[in-house]
Amino acid sequence: MTRIATAVFTGLLLGGSVTPLDAESARPPNVLFILCDDLRPDALGCYGSRHVQTPRIDGLARSGVRFANAFCTTSLCSPSRASILTGLYAHRHGVRDNFTELPATLPHWPGRLREHGYVTAYVGKWHMGETNDAPRPGFDWFVTHRGQGKYFDTEWNVNGQRRETPKGYYTHVVTDYALDWLKRREAGRPWALCLGHKAPHSFYLPEEKYAHAFDHVRVPYPDSAFDLEGKPAWIRQRLPTWHGIYGPLFEWRKQFPDFRPEAVKDFENMVHAYWGTVLSVDDSVGRLVQFLKDSGQWDNTLILFMGDNGLLEGEHGMVDKRTMHEPSIRIPLLARGPGLPKGRVVHGQVLTIDAAPSVLDLCGAPPLPNIQGRSWKRLVHGRDPAWRRAWFYEYNYEKQFPYTPNVRGIRTEDWKFIRYPHGDGSPDRHLPELYQLCKDPGERRNLALDPQYAAQRRELEQQLAALLAAEGLTPGNDPMPLDEGIKTELPDQTIR
């Protein structure tokens, strides 16, 4: 007798009802994976947004699990996407920047599901390999584009069969492609569909119906932008650059740098546009959910909704991501479907590398070999007391975007320590950062040089070194570029 049949028989024998959690479900669940780009948790209603109403996305949270402390391990699009698919840190999967292909021989969770009977599709922004829009291994259907795509009238490569440029707004077009595949997919087999949104990545451009949705909302620079005492000098040096609040703000400011107080209007317009793109994503989720309900597939579909990385929106005077500060590394993560509780908030620290093992675990598929992530299936039911208490972060300096140093750091439930290696094995040249997150969640007071916290700093330094060494990343075996400093030059127009 199979494991599923045994569970069903035992449940009936005992007079109890068989739930997906008890018997793992008689059918493998379908998987709808929705990935947003640069989505801050606080841009969603279910994470506490005061202005952005996202009722369809919030519905996923009500019908499933909301992770209150989800993080990326490298706050950059391509490395994070590779980690989500493979369960590996960037130093293991090799995608360290936005121009590197995901190795074709590297196993990922959609491919593993395909090996075990699923029909699989990827539709939307792939963004691992800037100029390559060809189909990738592990998918039966693959629709994408080169690079970032455009909010309007993107050219698509449809499964390597044709190129087309459907007129319209990206978020609606990619949803059309997804629904078209769902309606005509091979019947009789479980399916896994990955939908990669462009939104809300820069350059923020909402569709017309949401272009003025937030005109009434005033958005000042965050207070932390003017409270940089005790912070590393590179943060102040970044202020007038491509990634600083006085810079071009992804072309929402035409004359820059602009230090005038009234120039905050450009910042406000940028944030309004960012929020507007999120409203369209909420519409997309609504269309997908309605289709699943109308087609009778809602109850047996696992939905994961998440962001690839966070985003700085003026905090500490910065925009963009890459750093290890909280807005840069925090991501939204929602999960609902068979085997998951409803309306639950999980506070354990979960990472992008946990997505792959969790999906496979919930689908009853074999795990990927030698990965670094962990399934949170037991965690969401409160049955994983050994869940991680600390983890490390990595980012390598980019010559194409010279606004952030090399970063290695550790985050525990209460503390964060960040160091900035120079890249050649010599002593760090930037001031490190130490924050007591339980008392200072906004990371306002850097305690790295405070004698009162010297012992705490040493302990975190040792923990960080141990976590890195466990992955073979010793001081002599953690290759990274040489830090050439913060520069004011703009990135090449073709890679922005």
Side-chain angles (χ1 to χ4, degrees):
M1 187 178 291
T2 67
R3 181 174 55 172
I4 292 176
T6 300
V8 172
F9 177 76
T10 303
L12 294 174
L13 193 65
L14 295 175
S17 62
V18 178
T19 68
L21 180 60
D22 297 326
E24 298 182 299
S25 179
R27 293 180 295 157
N30 303 312
V31 180
L32 173 59
F33 176 76
I34 304 172
L35 182 64
C36 291
D37 199 319
D38 290 2
L39 178 60
R40 292 170 59 105
D42 65 3
L44 302 175
C46 57
Y47 279 91
S49 176
R50 294 183 298 136
H51 306 295
V52 189
Q53 297 181 13
T54 52
R56 292 89 174 181
I57 297 170
D58 299 350
L60 300 180
R62 288 192 300 273
S63 66
V65 181
R66 179 174 68 85
F67 294 86
N69 292 298
F71 302 93
C72 60
T73 53
T74 297
S75 186
L76 186 60
C77 301
S78 297
S80 197
R81 288 161 182 265
S83 292
I84 289 167
L85 287 172
T86 66
L88 299 171
Y89 267 89
H91 69 269
R92 284 275 300 277
H93 58 59
V95 182
R96 304 302 297 257
D97 54 39
N98 280 347
F99 313 102
T100 302
E101 290 273 359
L102 181 69
T105 57
L106 202 60
H108 53 62
W109 68 259
R112 177 53 57 94
L113 289 181
R114 187 170 183 259
E115 293 169 359
H116 289 270
Y118 277 70
V119 59
T120 59
Y122 194 102
V123 175
K125 185 176 180 179
W126 175 256
H127 201 216
M128 286 175 283
E130 188 75 9
T131 61
N132 182 8
D133 61 5
R136 303 307 206 276
F139 299 95
D140 296 291
W141 187 253
F142 198 89
V143 181
T144 193
H145 49 78
R146 295 187 178 100
Q148 299 283 357
K150 300 184 297 183
Y151 274 106
F152 288 93
D153 305 342
T154 290
E155 180 186 75
W156 298 82
N157 182 339
V158 181
N159 205 43
Q161 299 173 0
R162 66 182 185 275
R163 293 185 183 278
E164 60 188 24
T165 307
K167 298 296 182 182
Y169 193 64
Y170 185 109
T171 308
H172 301 315
V173 171
V174 74
T175 307
D176 290 341
Y177 278 126
L179 289 170
D180 177 67
W181 182 80
L182 286 172
K183 291 172 183 176
R184 63 175 183 76
R185 64 178 174 77
E186 180 182 347
R189 294 170 60 188
W191 52 265
L193 169 63
C194 301
L195 190 161
H197 283 289
K198 174 178 175 61
H201 194 281
S202 61
F203 297 78
Y204 317 120
L205 188 59
E207 59 178 309
E208 181 57 34
K209 71 174 179 177
Y210 295 131
H212 302 285
F214 303 101
D215 285 358
H216 62 288
V217 180
R218 301 282 70 83
V219 183
Y221 293 127
D223 291 343
S224 64
F226 309 103
D227 186 15
L228 301 181
E229 183 178 356
K231 299 292 178 70
W234 72 263
I235 293 179
R236 291 186 291 276
Q237 295 165 5
R238 179 166 156 156
L239 288 172
T241 73
W242 182 252
H243 288 165
I245 59 169
Y246 301 132
L249 300 178
F250 307 114
E251 297 189 353
W252 281 93
R253 177 176 290 140
K254 303 305 180 184
Q255 301 295 323
F256 53 86
D258 195 335
F259 300 94
R260 298 174 304 144
E262 56 268 32
V264 71
K265 184 62 178 177
D266 301 324
F267 176 79
E268 177 181 285
N269 290 338
M270 179 192 73
V271 175
H272 286 173
Y274 175 89
W275 289 343
T277 69
V278 176
L279 297 180
S280 298
V281 173
D282 191 63
D283 289 343
S284 169
V285 169
R287 292 178 63 195
L288 293 163
V289 167
Q290 192 61 53
F291 170 79
L292 294 176
K293 290 180 176 179
D294 291 345
S295 61
Q297 300 180 83
W298 170 252
D299 290 337
N300 196 47
T301 298
L302 169 67
I303 300 179
L304 260 69
F305 177 95
M306 66 186 298
D308 56 357
N309 45 252
L311 189 76
L312 289 152
E313 221 164 51
E315 292 87 0
H316 317 294
M318 297 184 279
V319 297
D320 195 69
K321 55 251 183 185
R322 292 169 165 86
T323 81
M324 197 188 169
H325 300 96
E326 289 289 287
S328 177
I329 63 175
R330 281 190 172 271
I331 62 172
L333 173 59
L334 309 173
R336 59 81 52 200
L340 294 173
K342 296 182 178 180
R344 182 160 298 176
V345 178
V346 173
H347 293 278
Q349 296 187 97
V350 300
L351 307 176
T352 42
I353 58 174
D354 299 329
S358 300
V359 171
L360 295 176
D361 194 8
L362 288 163
C363 292
L368 297 172
N370 304 315
I371 64 170
Q372 295 161 298
R374 298 174 56 184
S375 170
W376 35 251
K377 181 179 176 181
R378 286 170 52 84
L379 177 70
V380 301
H381 292 285
R383 299 202 303 262
D384 199 337
W387 190 255
R388 71 170 63 85
R389 297 285 189 268
W391 56 279
F392 73 90
Y393 177 86
E394 60 180 359
Y395 167 79
N396 283 359
Y397 180 87
E398 299 169 88
K399 291 185 177 180
Q400 301 95 332
F401 293 91
Y403 318 113
T404 308
N406 294 308
V407 184
R408 299 294 184 271
I410 180 174
R411 191 190 191 283
T412 72
E413 293 175 331
D414 294 332
W415 290 90
K416 181 187 292 184
F417 176 74
I418 313 170
R419 59 177 293 251
Y420 301 101
H422 191 59
D424 60 359
S426 63
D428 297 357
R429 304 184 188 185
H430 297 290
L431 179 70
E433 296 180 73
L434 173 66
Y435 300 105
Q436 189 173 12
L437 297 173
C438 56
K439 294 183 178 180
D440 182 19
E443 300 168 310
R444 303 291 291 270
R445 184 184 175 199
N446 182 11
L447 305 173
L449 299 183
D450 190 327
Q452 181 180 349
Y453 297 95
Q456 182 65 52
R457 172 178 166 176
R458 285 194 299 271
E459 179 182 339
L460 289 168
E461 287 176 323
Q462 292 168 2
Q463 287 186 47
L464 174 59
L467 286 173
L468 292 170
E471 297 296 334
L473 301 174
T474 60
N477 192 36
D478 185 6
M480 64 187 80
L482 188 69
D483 180 354
E484 298 181 6
I486 306 301
K487 300 182 180 181
T488 57
E489 63 197 41
L490 299 181
D492 188 275
Q493 185 73 40
T494 62
I495 61 173
R496 296 178 183 177

